[in-house]
Amino acid sequence: MIKLYDKHFKPLIPASQIAEAVDGVARRLNEDYGTSQQPPVFVGVLNGAFMFLSDLVKRLDFVCEVTFVKVSSYDGMASTDTVSTVMGVGCPIEGRDMVVVEDIVDTGASIEHLVVELRKSNPRSIRICTLFFKPQAYRKSIPIDYAAMEIGNEFVVGYGMDYNQLGRNLRDIHVVCG
Ligand code: 5GP
Ligand code: MG
């Protein structure tokens, strides 16, 4: 059990199980993008997706670009509806195949905001890849193409994900327990 500020967190998913889930999603991406004419662009959503993205791209056996965006919507342990782009992709994406890499798709507000923004620059395609998908919380209609794992509505930290900026360096996923 670990304590971050006022909250306690207990282990939920060990690093070995995360690695298996990342392997699975990388295998699907290798099948789908292995024969692409032009290298796809992987867009990591900062800060939470940094660890997932770095483990994921090491398992890809095709040439790709890697870049980052930053959006903000979460406040403490609650998702808010006001999403803003804090940092854009910073590279030309017209005509490119994009894969947006998220840590968690929860209500879907962040990913919908991002996809709407990215579409304005006319990419060829946009697909979503996320470490976690919370199907019970999802309120949008954009398809979540690659979800490494599904979880319920619990609040988790570790493997890139934080509680008020703490906990990102934990190797295992932890869940809040009071
Ligand atoms: P959404 O906009 O889909 O409601 O929320 C998306 C973002 O909120 C995720 O990218 C993630 O950064 C954050 N988020 C959602 N659920 C959790 C959670 O259980 N733990 C943490 N640490 N962040 C979360
Ligand atoms: Mg995120």
Side-chain angles (χ1 to χ4, degrees):
M1 188 132 93
I2 56 144
K3 190 172 184 229
L4 304 174
Y5 296 111
D6 53 325
K7 302 265 184 243
H8 291 90
F9 295 84
K10 63 180 183 195
L12 180 70
I13 302 169
S16 58
Q17 200 180 322
I18 302 168
E20 278 172 29
V22 179
D23 279 341
V25 100
R27 215 173 296 127
R28 292 180 56 202
L29 288 162
N30 283 327
E31 278 167 20
D32 294 353
Y33 290 89
T35 58
S36 294
Q37 297 285 336
Q38 216 190 352
V41 184
F42 282 75
V43 184
V45 184
L46 292 173
N47 295 332
F50 80 94
M51 206 175 276
F52 174 43
L53 180 74
S54 69
D55 281 348
L56 182 68
V57 296
K58 280 181 273 187
R59 290 162 159 95
L60 301 180
D61 53 25
F62 53 89
V63 175
C64 65
E65 285 186 29
V66 177
T67 188
F68 294 92
V69 292
K70 189 162 184 172
V71 295
S72 85
S73 84
Y74 240 66
D75 186 15
M77 296 209 308
S79 189
T80 71
D81 259 347
T82 351
V83 184
S84 58
T85 305
V86 180
M87 183 185 98
V89 277
C91 64
I93 61 166
E94 186 167 347
R96 305 297 298 274
D97 292 315
M98 317 285 297
V99 180
V100 178
V101 180
E102 260 284 21
D103 51 359
I104 302 194
V105 175
D106 184 17
T107 65
S110 308
I111 208 72
E112 179 177 75
H113 168 87
L114 250 175
V115 166
V116 167
E117 287 290 305
L118 291 173
R119 275 190 190 138
K120 290 179 189 164
S121 305
N122 297 315
R124 181 167 174 265
S125 67
I126 304 176
R127 286 192 187 152
I128 312 301
C129 176
T130 187
L131 178 67
F132 286 117
F133 180 41
K134 293 182 174 175
Q136 295 151 32
Y138 193 60
R139 288 195 264 107
K140 305 292 180 182
S141 54
I142 291 168
I144 305 305
D145 306 282
Y146 306 94
M149 292 178 276
E150 291 192 356
I151 50 168
N153 283 346
E154 60 263 42
F155 185 82
V156 294
V157 297
Y159 196 70
M161 289 161 280
D162 72 307
Y163 170 52
N164 286 337
Q165 305 308 327
L166 297 183
R168 296 192 194 277
N169 58 314
L170 294 166
R171 293 163 52 87
D172 307 321
I173 300 292
H174 288 64
V175 64
V176 70
C177 58

